[in-house]
Amino acid sequence: GVLGDQPFATVSAIRYGHTFGFIGFFIVQPPYRRKGYGTQIWNAALRHLEGRNIGLDGVPAQQENYGKSGFAFAHRNVRYEGTGGGEPPRDAETVELSGLPFEAVASYDRPFFPEDRSSFIKSWITQPDCTALGVLRDGTLAGYGVMRACRSGYKIGPLFADSPELAETLFLALKSSAGTNEPVYLDIPEANPAAVSLATRHNMHVVFETARMYKGERPDTPLHRVLGVTSFEVG
């Protein structure tokens, strides 16, 4: 949203494959709210994703408004904050994702998202200032995680694994590469008790939450293997 040459509002609407989309970055500067500008860019985002199931992570205060556009609540996502550092686990099967065939990473990721997003994942795990690790069992990828630099500290996401123990191995390996006093964030689906336990066990505390909502059928995501959401903004 722009008035003259002054940007004052944003929204993103990403098409994944042919059936899914995700809305994020919906922000209007306070002086321009309640004037209909947000509605205009919101409707533009919906038009861009017309005919698709659409997901978003919205702050609880906006849940009712999203419901008016046909979005239904799926579960809470909660952001935890902790600190980096610590000793990495001595696990010979924790490897850099860059050392694995990309097809193995894309194949492992596929059940966690409603559409193929291999082109996105290829960029996500090689973005600047990130650490991307996998954990193997019997030579097969059994989990992976990415930690990326933020404006303040680092954020881990996604964190997917076949068991809570493997997720913790990845979590410890990732956060050990951040400075001891650096903030580290983990966005978890509250519906997964193992994810909540992981965060609280490592002295992380809640700083933010969202409502995951869908305009269409709720995807059959294996939340018991999701211990870190990829992103509130892009899914």
Side-chain angles (χ1 to χ4, degrees), residues 3-144:
L3 285 176
D5 59 356
Q6 178 64 42
F8 67 92
T10 63
V11 70
S12 66
I14 304 172
R15 292 170 176 164
Y16 288 100
H18 299 288
T19 65
F20 189 66
F22 203 88
I23 290 178
F25 297 108
F26 185 31
I27 305 167
V28 180
Q29 291 182 346
Y32 299 96
R33 293 175 185 171
R34 302 186 184 279
K35 299 178 184 296
Y37 296 132
T39 300
Q40 290 184 53
I41 62 168
W42 169 257
N43 288 338
L46 291 181
R47 286 194 299 270
H48 183 69
L49 301 176
E50 189 173 359
R52 297 165 180 258
N53 189 6
I54 307 170
L56 59 79
D57 274 300
V59 295
Q62 291 297 321
Q63 182 177 335
E64 183 178 351
N65 287 334
Y66 294 137
K68 294 175 182 177
S69 293
F71 286 82
F73 176 84
H75 57 82
R76 289 176 72 217
N77 283 331
V78 183
R79 175 165 297 160
Y80 281 82
E81 178 183 346
T83 55
E87 291 294 321
R90 298 181 182 276
D91 190 321
E93 292 193 278
T94 301
V95 298
E96 297 278 349
L97 284 187
S98 59
L100 299 177
F102 174 71
E103 292 74 15
V105 181
S107 177
Y108 188 84
D109 183 80
R110 185 65 188 88
F112 297 96
F113 205 71
E115 264 280 10
D116 176 75
R117 59 171 181 174
S118 54
S119 59
F120 165 78
I121 290 298
K122 181 176 288 186
S123 297
W124 191 255
I125 66 177
T126 57
Q127 64 184 293
D129 298 318
C130 90
T131 301
L133 301 176
V135 62
L136 305 179
R137 282 298 175 262
D138 300 322
T140 300
L141 191 62
Y144 87 95

Side-chain angles (χ1 to χ4, degrees), residues 107-209:
S107 177
Y108 188 84
D109 183 80
R110 185 65 188 88
F112 297 96
F113 205 71
E115 264 280 10
D116 176 75
R117 59 171 181 174
S118 54
S119 59
F120 165 78
I121 290 298
K122 181 176 288 186
S123 297
W124 191 255
I125 66 177
T126 57
Q127 64 184 293
D129 298 318
C130 90
T131 301
L133 301 176
V135 62
L136 305 179
R137 282 298 175 262
D138 300 322
T140 300
L141 191 62
Y144 87 95
V146 179
M147 186 175 75
R148 64 194 188 276
C150 302
R151 292 180 64 185
S152 172
Y154 296 85
K155 189 174 294 179
I156 295 175
L159 180 61
F160 300 151
D162 291 354
S163 72
E165 294 76 20
L166 293 177
E168 186 163 32
T169 294
L170 286 167
F171 174 79
L172 293 173
L174 289 165
K175 87 179 192 76
S176 70
S177 64
T180 303
N181 295 318
E182 291 277 5
V184 172
Y185 302 93
L186 179 68
D187 299 338
I188 69 166
E190 191 182 49
N192 184 350
V196 176
S197 178
L198 173 69
T200 56
R201 193 165 59 249
H202 290 283
N203 301 312
M204 305 182 84
H205 61 278
V206 175
V207 294
F208 185 63
E209 69 173 83

Side-chain angles (χ1 to χ4, degrees), residues 57 77 156-159 187-189 212 226-232 235:
D57 274 300
N77 283 331
I156 295 175
L159 180 61
D187 299 338
I188 69 166
R212 172 59 63 91
V226 178
L227 290 97
V229 176
T230 304
S231 164
F232 288 165

